[in-house]
């Protein structure tokens, strides 16, 4: 099929690929189809197999860019559908033997002399080896690692297709029916403009049609496009290599959705280019403005500067992605214990949108990580963004934090604070950032507000069981109670995919359904209030939580202490402490005459004491008074009321 024939009519796969080769360029996103889209395509094919239609089924559009050779084309649009069809063809080949197997290999997969074969469809550099080894050659997965999400999606597509083909494996004729439909009954409209100046237009088309690209993917596309236009071959290779590392790190971090990638880019641009919160929402447009190729091309000095700046930007993104892998993926190789401690704490907080630019600025700027800054960052993040009811909006105050993060990274923060006439000596950028974070924490979560955040607001339908920070709070409390024991904070953030064992720590209510269910004892309104209080909750091993479900506290105490059933006692000091408190109040009330509300008073006293223990702990654990500028921040806060 000649390039001049493309676009005239619906073409079959054999017509399209005859004598031609197709390449998915590296500026394109990796394979992105998910289960639903693969299954939808298979359903279309199945309907064609069952039907008697004499017309060719329109499957989609291919937009191609002519390569250096007349028969080689870059796929600008349509790569997801075409790749899925090639996976299907490759898996059909695995099902067939003899001449059919050989025919498919030579017609659809590889062409050329033995030892010099070229792939008819060449995926981008991140995924082609995986596609060839696992999908085409059917090698065992155990010998290969899945490093990026696109590889995982290729594997998922192959598994769905293999399962679908099982129904046709009974005899060769059935598989041949699938092959026949693929070759004769599906059709593409194919466009391959001759004018290479239209590549720029097509580039914009692929960024704004079909399945939406993430902002990060758009930026990658534009940087590669820019490197080609600038004839910067070394930069072009660097972008390929570095972007592969970025994707691998984001995959380790399990941050691969379009939303996650967009957030990653946003945080990076806030720090690197000092973008405002508002401007950072449009990272792709910001990059296009900074590297306006049409204005750069005819100026050698500007071109050289752009090439240098793009190189610096992608290096920053690579390092930032590494810290994503360290933070979210627990890839802690080479890090000291104290840094790992703060990484685990910050990750477990699970509220990062406001502090991520500051985090990246701290860890990327410094060869030796300033632990004091990670410490204050963890404290203000908990006080401001995780405490119950402190911030009505989780993004409140972001603009200020973002500005301070970029100022710190570029060594402008100390100077800026001096220009603002701060009546306090600032000796370094680290001290300047510590001061800003301390003031931010005091102004947004004063000690009084922080203390009150642990008390139930009875005027609202509050329930501490629904508090986002409850597990993190309780595991931190356990670490406080057992300072000489290694408490695995990751037990509270263990994902379902990682498997929740019997050691998984869950939330337990002290006030249970069976707490003295005598109708003369219970007051539903009062009971409900106690059940919602912070002091009503403890962390507990899942095995004990299951065993104690719905029993009253008498039984639970025996269970937790190992005196009921055959369960081992709890290892959690906070639970043992509650048991001691409960036994003390049972003893105090033992000689009192029973009255209506007798048991309610016992349980309320237990919860009161537990709640007070929690508050005392919190005020010590997340105190700001040891950080630089605390007293001045409190004074500013009192004077300005901010």
């Amino acid at each position: 099929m000649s390039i001049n024939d493309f676009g005239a009519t619906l073409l079959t796969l054999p017509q399209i690929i005859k004598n031609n080769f197709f390449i998915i360029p590296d500026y394109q996103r990796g394979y992105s189809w998910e289960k639903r889209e693969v299954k939808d395509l298979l359903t279309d094919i199945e309907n064609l197999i069952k039907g008697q239609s004499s017309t060719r089924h329109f499957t989609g559009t291919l937009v191609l860019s002519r390569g250096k050779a007349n028969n080689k084309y870059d796929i600008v649009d349509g790569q997801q559908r075409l790749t899925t069809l090639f996976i299907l063809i490759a898996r059909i080949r695995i099902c067939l033997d003899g001449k059919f197997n050989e025919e498919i290999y030579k017609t659809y997969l590889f062409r050329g002399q033995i030892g010099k074969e070229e792939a008819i469809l060449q995926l981008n550099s991140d995924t082609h080896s995986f596609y060839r080894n696992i999908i085409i050659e059917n090698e065992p997965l155990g010998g290969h690692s899945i490093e990026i999400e696109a590889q995982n999606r290729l594997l998922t597509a192959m598994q769905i297709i293999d399962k679908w083909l099982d129904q046709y494996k009974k005899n060769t004729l059935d598989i041949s029916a699938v092959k026949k439909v693929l070759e004769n009954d599906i059709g593409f409209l194919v466009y391959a403009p001759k004018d290479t100046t239209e590549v720029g237009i097509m580039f914009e088309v692929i960024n704004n049609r079909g399945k939406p690209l993430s902002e990060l993917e758009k930026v990658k596309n534009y940087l590669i496009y820019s490197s080609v236009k600038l004839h910067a071959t070394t930069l072009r290779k660097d972008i390929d290599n570095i972007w592969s590392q970025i994707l691998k790190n984001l995959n380790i971090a399990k941050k691969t959705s379009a939303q996650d990638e967009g957030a990653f880019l946003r945080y990076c641009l806030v720090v690197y280019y000092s973008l405002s919160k508002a401007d950072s929402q449009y990272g792709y447009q910001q990059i296009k403005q900074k590297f306006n190729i049409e204005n750069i091309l005819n100026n050698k000095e500007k071109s050289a500067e752009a090439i240098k700046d793009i190189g610096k930007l992608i290096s920053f993104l690579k390092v930032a992605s590494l810290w994503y892998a360290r933070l979210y993926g627990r890839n802690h190789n080479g890090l000291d214990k104290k840094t790992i401690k703060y990484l685990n704490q910050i990750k477990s907080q699970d509220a990062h949108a406001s502090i991520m630019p500051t985090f990246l600025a701290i860890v990327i700027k410094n060869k030796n990580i300033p632990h004091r800054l990670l410490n204050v960052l963890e404290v203000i993040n908990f006080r401001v963004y995780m405490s119950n009811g402190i911030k009505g909006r989780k993004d409140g105050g972001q603009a200020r934090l973002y500005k301070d993060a970029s100022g710190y990274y570029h060594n402008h923060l100390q100077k800026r604070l001096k220009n603002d006439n701060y009546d306090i000596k600032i000796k370094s950028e680290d001290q300047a950032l510590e001061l800003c974070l301390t003031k931010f924490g005091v102004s947004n979560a004063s000690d009084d507000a922080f203390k009150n955040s642990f008390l139930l607001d009875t005027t609202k339908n509050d329930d501490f069981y629904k508090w986002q920070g409850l597990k993190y709070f309780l595991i931190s409390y356990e670490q406080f109670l057992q300072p000489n024991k290694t408490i695995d904070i990751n037990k509270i953030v263990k994902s379902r995919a990682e498997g929740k064992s019997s050691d998984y720590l869950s939330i337990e209510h002290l006030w249970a359904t069976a707490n003295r269910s005598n109708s003369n004892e219970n007051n539903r309104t009062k009971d409900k209030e106690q059940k919602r209080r912070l002091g009503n909750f403890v962390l507990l091993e899942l095995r004990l939580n299951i065993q104690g479900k719905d029993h009253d506290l008498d039984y639970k105490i025996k269970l937790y202490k190992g005196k009921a059933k055959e369960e081992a006692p709890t290892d959690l000091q906070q639970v043992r402490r509650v048991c001691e408190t409960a036994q003390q109040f049972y003893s105090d009330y033992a000689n009192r005459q029973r009255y209506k509300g007798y048991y309610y008073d016992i349980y309320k006293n237990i919860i009161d004491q537990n709640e007070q223990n929690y508050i005392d702990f919190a005020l010590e654990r997340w105190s700001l008074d040891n950080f630089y500028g605390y007293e001045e921040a409190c004074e500013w806060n009192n004077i300005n009321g901010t």
Side-chain angles (χ1 to χ4, degrees):
M1 178 63 62
S2 166
I3 189 172
N4 297 319
D5 296 320
F6 286 153
T9 186
L10 282 182
L11 301 177
T12 63
L13 272 176
Q15 289 173 322
I16 294 169
I17 68 173
K18 185 177 181 181
N19 298 324
N20 295 321
F21 295 88
F22 302 90
I23 301 166
I24 298 174
D26 286 326
Y27 66 75
Q28 283 277 32
R29 78 190 320 162
Y31 186 72
S32 65
W33 266 18
E34 298 178 7
K35 292 179 181 180
R36 178 182 57 79
E37 292 147 321
V38 176
K39 289 179 179 178
D40 285 348
L41 178 60
L42 295 178
T43 298
D44 288 343
I45 295 172
E46 190 165 311
N47 290 336
L48 289 171
I49 294 172
K50 295 176 180 177
Q52 301 295 324
S53 175
S54 59
T55 59
R56 190 167 293 160
H57 176 71
F58 172 66
T59 303
T61 301
L62 284 177
V63 179
L64 308 174
S65 172
R66 185 174 179 177
K68 293 180 181 179
N70 287 337
N71 66 338
K72 292 188 176 182
Y73 302 94
D74 284 350
I75 301 175
V76 178
D77 197 23
Q79 64 135 319
Q80 309 295 341
R81 189 174 300 273
L82 190 64
T83 300
T84 308
L85 289 173
F86 268 76
I87 295 172
L88 176 55
I89 290 168
R91 301 314 290 179
I92 288 174
R93 170 180 167 263
I94 301 299
C95 299
L96 298 175
D97 296 320
K99 64 177 184 179
F100 290 109
N101 184 304
E102 188 69 18
E103 175 195 338
I104 290 174
Y105 189 85
K106 291 182 177 180
T107 304
Y108 293 100
L109 302 178
F110 289 91
R111 189 181 296 138
Q113 297 179 0
I114 296 176
K116 297 182 179 180
E117 307 99 326
E118 286 190 70
I120 294 173
L121 175 66
Q122 173 82 37
L123 273 60
N124 63 23
S125 59
D126 288 334
T127 53
H128 186 72
S129 294
F130 187 88
Y131 163 73
R132 177 167 185 171
N133 295 330
I134 302 299
I135 295 174
I136 296 178
E137 303 297 346
N138 202 33
E139 293 181 6
L141 183 62
H144 302 269
S145 61
I146 297 177
E147 298 178 317
I148 60 173
E149 187 61 26
Q151 294 172 340
N152 190 53
R153 290 196 178 108
L154 284 170
L155 178 64
T156 299
M158 183 192 79
Q159 291 169 339
I160 292 171
I161 287 170
D162 283 349
K163 185 176 180 180
W164 183 77
L165 285 173
D166 281 343
Q167 63 184 313
Y168 297 102
K169 283 183 180 179
K170 295 179 181 178
N171 55 64
T172 304
L173 181 62
D174 291 327
I175 293 291
S176 297
V178 180
K179 179 173 176 289
K180 182 179 178 181
V181 165
L182 291 177
E183 293 180 329
N184 300 299
D185 297 336
I186 63 173
F188 285 88
L189 284 176
V190 185
Y191 297 95
K194 299 177 184 178
D195 190 350
T196 57
T197 61
E198 295 185 27
V199 172
I201 298 174
M202 291 190 294
F203 173 82
E204 290 298 326
V205 169
I206 67 168
N207 278 350
N208 294 285
R209 63 173 292 174
K211 186 174 180 179
L213 298 176
S214 72
E215 287 288 291
L216 186 65
E217 288 172 320
K218 290 181 182 180
V219 167
K220 173 198 172 187
N221 291 357
Y222 188 76
L223 293 180
I224 291 180
Y225 169 71
S226 298
S227 69
V228 171
K229 296 287 283 185
L230 292 167
H231 304 290
T233 54
T234 300
L235 176 63
R236 171 75 173 80
K237 292 178 181 178
D238 287 344
I239 295 173
D240 284 344
N241 294 332
I242 288 176
W243 222 273
S244 177
Q245 295 175 55
I246 291 172
L247 294 180
K248 288 176 183 177
N249 285 330
L250 293 181
N251 190 58
I252 291 170
K254 295 181 172 59
K255 297 290 183 180
T256 56
S257 70
Q259 182 178 2
D260 288 333
E261 290 184 357
F264 168 75
L265 176 68
R266 188 161 62 251
Y267 304 144
C268 289
L269 296 184
V270 163
V271 177
Y272 191 75
Y273 283 128
S274 301
L275 294 187
S276 68
K277 175 184 173 182
D279 288 343
S280 69
Q281 303 290 327
Y282 308 97
Y284 170 55
Q285 293 301 329
Q286 292 291 328
I287 293 297
K288 286 183 66 177
Q289 290 177 21
K290 290 183 180 297
F291 302 106
N292 189 323
I293 295 302
E294 301 306 320
N295 295 338
I296 293 173
L297 278 177
N298 297 324
N299 187 307
K300 289 185 178 180
E301 187 175 323
K302 287 185 177 180
S303 295
E305 185 178 349
I307 292 170
K308 184 178 179 181
D309 288 346
I310 291 174
K312 290 181 178 179
L313 171 61
I314 61 175
S315 293
F316 180 89
L317 293 173
K318 179 183 72 172
V319 178
S321 73
L322 173 61
W323 279 102
Y324 249 55
R326 288 169 170 170
L327 177 66
Y328 293 111
R330 302 198 287 271
N331 183 12
H332 295 157
N333 293 337
L335 297 180
D336 62 90
K337 291 183 179 180
K338 207 163 187 179
T339 299
I340 293 172
K341 167 191 168 183
Y342 288 119
L343 291 185
N344 282 334
Q345 287 179 347
I346 291 172
K347 179 196 173 178
S348 301
Q349 288 183 329
D350 199 28
H352 301 140
S354 296
I355 66 162
M356 276 307 295
T358 309
F359 171 79
L360 291 176
I362 291 170
V363 296
I364 296 175
K365 176 183 176 179
N366 298 286
K367 183 177 181 180
N368 297 315
I369 305 301
H371 298 130
R372 190 174 176 86
L373 290 180
L374 291 182
N375 188 1
V376 69
L377 189 65
E378 185 271 342
V379 169
I380 68 112
N381 194 43
F382 183 82
R383 286 177 70 116
V384 178
Y385 295 109
M386 292 191 67
S387 295
N388 187 45
I390 291 284
K391 274 289 182 187
R393 287 167 53 91
K394 290 300 182 185
D395 60 352
Q398 276 186 359
R400 178 174 162 186
L401 286 176
Y402 285 10
K403 183 179 180 180
D404 290 345
S406 63
Y408 171 75
Y409 180 78
H410 293 286
N411 294 314
H412 298 155
L413 190 56
Q414 185 180 358
K415 182 179 179 181
R416 196 183 84 207
L417 294 182
K418 287 182 178 179
N419 291 338
D420 290 343
N421 296 318
Y422 273 57
D423 295 329
I424 184 173
K425 292 183 179 180
I426 305 171
K427 299 179 180 179
S428 66
E429 284 292 314
D430 283 3
Q431 203 172 67
L433 181 59
E434 185 176 334
L435 172 64
C436 287
L437 292 174
T438 301
K439 185 180 178 185
F440 183 83
V442 170
S443 61
N444 286 278
S446 67
D447 288 345
D448 286 342
F450 185 55
K451 179 179 179 180
N452 290 334
S453 73
F454 301 105
L455 302 176
L456 186 72
D457 186 345
T458 56
T459 65
K460 299 178 181 178
N461 191 29
D462 279 356
D463 187 343
F464 273 92
Y465 186 73
K466 299 176 182 178
W467 175 33
Q468 179 188 7
L470 181 58
K471 279 190 175 182
Y472 182 70
F473 177 87
L474 292 175
I475 197 72
S476 298
Y477 183 54
E478 190 64 30
Q479 290 177 322
F480 172 77
L481 294 176
Q482 300 197 68
N484 297 322
K485 181 179 179 181
T486 301
I487 306 295
D488 185 7
I489 199 168
N490 293 313
K491 282 188 176 181
I492 67 164
V493 293
K494 198 172 187 179
S495 69
R496 191 171 297 276
E498 292 174 295
K500 292 180 178 177
S501 68
S502 60
D503 289 330
Y504 175 78
L505 300 180
S506 59
I507 300 295
E508 167 68 326
H509 295 73
L510 300 177
W511 193 288
T513 304
N515 273 357
R516 305 305 172 187
S517 57
N518 186 311
S519 60
N520 292 325
E521 171 72 23
N522 278 6
N523 179 305
R524 285 197 169 189
T525 302
K526 293 169 66 177
D527 288 356
K528 188 176 181 180
E529 181 179 314
Q530 296 303 318
K531 289 178 182 179
R532 291 153 47 208
R533 292 175 60 190
L534 177 61
N536 182 44
F537 302 106
V538 292
L539 274 185
L540 187 67
E541 294 92 342
L542 187 61
R543 58 184 174 83
L544 291 175
N545 201 338
I546 293 172
Q547 290 292 335
K549 184 179 181 181
D550 293 337
H551 286 284
D552 64 21
L553 193 55
D554 290 351
Y555 176 84
K556 288 182 177 182
I557 290 173
K558 295 176 183 177
L559 180 67
Y560 302 159
K561 297 181 72 174
K563 296 180 179 180
K565 300 218 173 195
E566 296 180 356
E567 287 290 342
T570 180
D571 288 328
L572 295 167
Q573 182 62 31
Q574 63 188 273
V575 180
R576 294 197 291 267
R577 194 171 187 180
V578 166
C579 290
E580 292 171 3
T581 299
Q583 288 180 320
Q584 179 63 51
F585 280 111
Y586 282 140
S587 176
D588 290 346
Y589 276 72
N591 296 322
R592 298 187 188 186
Q593 185 176 356
R594 303 297 172 89
Y595 57 90
K596 185 176 181 180
Y598 174 86
Y599 287 105
Y600 171 86
D601 286 348
I602 293 177
Y603 297 136
K604 181 180 181 301
N605 281 322
I606 294 169
I607 292 173
D608 284 346
Q609 183 61 60
N610 200 37
E611 184 176 87
Q612 188 59 53
N613 291 340
Y614 285 162
I615 293 174
D616 292 342
F617 151 71
L619 292 176
E620 179 179 343
R621 168 64 174 79
W622 290 285
S623 172
L624 284 166
D625 58 9
N626 289 323
F627 293 111
Y628 190 67
Y630 170 75
E631 292 182 2
E632 289 80 3
C634 289
E635 185 177 344
W636 291 326
N637 194 42
N638 292 332
I639 294 173
N640 300 316
T642 57

